[in-house]
Amino acid sequence: MLAKVCSAALNGIEAYPVEVEVNSGWGDTLVVIVGLPDAAVKESRDRVSTALTNSGYKFPMGRTTINLAPADVKKEGPSFDLPIALGILAASEQIETDQFDNFLAVGELALTGAVRSCKGVLPVALRAKADGKTGVLVPAENAAEAAVVDGLQVIPVQNLREAAQFLEGEIKLAPTKADIAKMFNQPHDDDVDFAEVKGQESVKRALEIAAAGGHNVLLIGPPGTGKSMLAKRLPTILPPLTLDEALETTKIHSIVGLLPVGVGLVTRRPFRTPHHTASDAGLLGGSINPTPGEISLAHHGVLFLDELPEFKRSVLETMRQPLEEGRVTISRAAGTMTFPSQFMLVAAMNPTPDGKMPGESKSSPREIQNYLGRISGPLLDRIDLHVEVPPVKFREISGDRTGETSADIRERVVAARQRQQTRFAHKPKITCNARMGSKELKEFCPLDEATKQLLQNAMADWNLSARAYDRILKVARTIADLAASENLNSDHVGEAIQYRSLDRQIWG
């Protein structure tokens, strides 16, 4: 007898439908799995046969052929265990149901018959809804993430027998519900706050501008000046995620398996801090089967690279395209994948190998040049704000005065982002000033003659590139938004220019 069960597999961050066809016939007892299965899928025959026996069912005698369609796309992972087992039960007439067309099933089986969690359940649930399915059968541990998809019955199953009995109508299982508004309204207990940072008011101002416009930042200063401390507090002033951003971010974390049990939605902007020994595959994604790397896990959030010159130059250079386009394309023998990577890059570094400013360093000019040369000019051009982090004065450290709280700064950041959302309402792909193209710069950043002259002089004095010119305008537009100004003036552009001068002083 032939049975068909609906399932799904992952391709990048999206899922595509897979039809699990099971045919049970005569002949020697043999299980054949076709349809380009990988090793984990091939091993499912042993997991499924044992799980069926331990769940009180019989494994069919004779030849059992399992086809995973479409047959020309490689299938990976253990998530086909549950649909294969259900297909075998139906093909061997141990269960009778007409619900296979209405439900999509995924899940790994333990030898006891228990259904274990698997990766990528949220994209699978979105695929089920797009295909018009009534619901999905998913592991109970993954039910929360699937439940954020509105209009879909999410049936949490604990074991194989429970799934089979539900499909036969012998038992009823309550669908898992998700209160998305409650998820977003949950208070976040931040253990860090900008009020804890003594001094560094100019750096705080630069980070506020960066957060308001989604700009990349490079913090340069001696050790112990608070570069990492300031960077780690940046997420506390970022605007909250929208629902679309949260779903996109959650999909990436789901397919990598980083969603905690019971968490249905990522409602906070990610903050990723890879070590400087990270490879290009670890940062961009890759390996034999392309998977998201750190820059995609930081999508809609912050990627913090501490000790920037310590990263391999080849690794840093691979980030140039994602920084510009907001996505990364990885080509491997197994296929080509495109992952989103719209993130804020925050980098920190010392100005010289011994940590001191060039005029005070004991390092030779060649040593300093070799150290700074690990960061290329094109990469620097893609970083909007270059900020000097000076040593904190004793009176600031020892004083009782505290700075603004993160909540106060975030209010101004959110107000500036709202102005940008209104401005780009007819351009849905542009979410903040940092994402503007040349057309938007011309439309939203007109300059009067005095401001043009100021910018022209800066370009000539510091030999800035055309890309740096665009970055200055984007930062100036954000500064104007923070000041609730509709038009750019020389004050806005002048402040934006100063954030391009530091790299010319050191690298020049």
Side-chain angles (χ1 to χ4, degrees), residues 205 445-459 462 464 468-469 471-480 487-501:
R205 166 67 176 172
C445 303
L447 303 176
D448 56 36
E449 288 303 320
T451 307
K452 281 183 181 179
Q453 188 62 45
L454 172 66
L455 189 50
Q456 181 180 346
N457 293 339
M459 295 281 293
W462 289 322
L464 298 176
Y469 171 85
R471 302 283 173 176
I472 289 171
L473 289 183
K474 293 176 183 180
V475 173
R477 180 65 266 172
T478 300
I479 295 170
N487 299 315
L488 300 185
N489 58 41
S490 57
D491 290 339
H492 306 143
V493 174
E495 185 177 358
I497 290 172
Q498 76 172 358
Y499 295 122
R500 301 299 309 185
S501 63

Side-chain angles (χ1 to χ4, degrees), residues 182-197:
K182 185 178 179 181
M183 292 180 186
F184 277 100
N185 292 331
Q186 283 182 346
H188 298 299
D189 297 327
D190 291 316
D191 54 357
V192 294
D193 196 284
F194 267 99
E196 301 162 352
V197 181

Side-chain angles (χ1 to χ4, degrees), residues 108-178:
E108 177 185 350
L109 288 179
L111 299 183
T112 60
V115 180
R116 289 175 171 164
S117 63
C118 57
K119 299 177 182 178
V121 169
L122 176 56
V124 167
L126 290 168
R127 179 76 264 167
K129 182 181 179 182
D131 289 345
K133 300 297 181 184
T134 302
V136 290
L137 270 65
V138 299
E141 292 181 0
N142 297 123
E145 62 179 287
V148 301
V149 180
D150 189 35
L152 190 71
Q153 289 186 33
V154 177
I155 308 300
V157 291
Q158 300 282 353
N159 53 64
L160 173 59
R161 177 165 286 277
E162 191 175 72
Q165 289 177 335
F166 170 79
L167 290 172
E168 283 191 294
E170 292 183 7
I171 63 172
K172 291 185 178 180
L173 297 176
T176 300
K177 302 291 184 181

Side-chain angles (χ1 to χ4, degrees), residues 351 353 364-375 506-508:
S364 68
R366 174 170 289 186
E367 288 174 334
I368 295 175
Q369 191 61 40
N370 290 339
Y371 177 74
L372 299 177
R374 298 176 189 176
I375 306 169
I506 294 179
W507 274 263

Side-chain angles (χ1 to χ4, degrees), residues 43-348:
E43 290 173 354
S44 67
R45 74 186 78 186
D46 299 314
R47 289 192 299 272
V48 168
S49 62
T50 307
L52 285 169
T53 302
N54 289 333
S55 298
Y57 297 105
K58 294 181 180 179
F59 193 81
M61 305 299 288
R63 182 184 179 92
T64 300
T65 304
I66 301 166
N67 179 42
L68 307 177
D72 59 343
V73 182
K74 189 171 184 178
K75 317 302 185 306
E76 302 171 358
S79 63
F80 296 107
D81 288 2
L82 180 60
I84 287 175
L86 292 173
I88 289 175
L89 290 176
S92 59
E93 300 182 348
Q94 296 183 69
I95 63 171
E96 293 184 7
T97 179
D98 58 357
Q99 294 297 312
F100 281 146
D101 288 337
N102 298 327
F103 286 88
L104 187 152
V106 290
E108 177 185 350
L109 288 179
L111 299 183
T112 60
V115 180
R116 289 175 171 164
S117 63
C118 57
K119 299 177 182 178
V121 169
L122 176 56
V124 167
L126 290 168
R127 179 76 264 167
K129 182 181 179 182
D131 289 345
K133 300 297 181 184
T134 302
V136 290
L137 270 65
V138 299
E141 292 181 0
N142 297 123
E145 62 179 287
V148 301
V149 180
D150 189 35
L152 190 71
Q153 289 186 33
V154 177
I155 308 300
V157 291
Q158 300 282 353
N159 53 64
L160 173 59
R161 177 165 286 277
E162 191 175 72
Q165 289 177 335
F166 170 79
L167 290 172
E168 283 191 294
E170 292 183 7
I171 63 172
K172 291 185 178 180
L173 297 176
T176 300
K177 302 291 184 181
D179 189 340
I180 295 178
K182 185 178 179 181
M183 292 180 186
F184 277 100
N185 292 331
Q186 283 182 346
H188 298 299
D189 297 327
D190 291 316
D191 54 357
V192 294
D193 196 284
F194 267 99
E196 301 162 352
V197 181
K198 299 284 188 177
Q200 305 293 17
E201 297 304 323
S202 62
V203 185
K204 293 178 187 177
R205 166 67 176 172
L207 291 178
E208 179 181 340
I209 295 169
H215 302 290
N216 303 320
V217 189
L218 174 61
L219 303 176
I220 306 178
T225 54
K227 301 186 295 295
S228 299
M229 182 182 186
L230 286 157
K232 290 175 181 178
R233 281 154 179 76
L234 181 60
T236 65
I237 64 172
L238 290 174
L241 286 167
T242 64
L243 178 57
D244 288 341
E245 289 175 337
L247 285 172
E248 210 170 33
T249 303
T250 305
K251 282 201 294 184
I252 298 171
H253 286 243
S254 174
I255 65 175
V256 179
L258 292 181
L259 274 185
V261 175
V263 174
L265 200 64
V266 175
T267 57
R268 302 198 69 182
R269 295 189 180 271
F271 183 79
R272 306 292 300 181
T273 58
H275 193 260
H276 61 78
T277 57
S279 64
D280 54 352
L283 204 61
L284 268 73
S287 73
I288 298 175
N289 299 312
T291 53
E294 290 291 340
I295 65 172
S296 294
L297 291 171
H299 186 52
H300 293 313
V302 176
L303 178 69
F304 177 46
L305 303 183
D306 202 4
E307 303 296 343
L308 187 64
E310 300 300 328
F311 284 81
K312 293 179 182 177
R313 178 162 179 164
S314 60
V315 173
L316 294 178
E317 291 303 296
T318 57
M319 292 201 305
R320 284 160 55 177
Q321 181 217 5
L323 282 171
E324 200 74 24
E325 299 181 1
R327 64 180 184 274
V328 57
T329 301
I330 302 168
S331 297
R332 296 289 187 272
T336 299
M337 302 289 182
T338 298
F339 300 112
S341 59
Q342 288 189 13
F343 60 93
M344 280 180 60
L345 173 63
V346 180

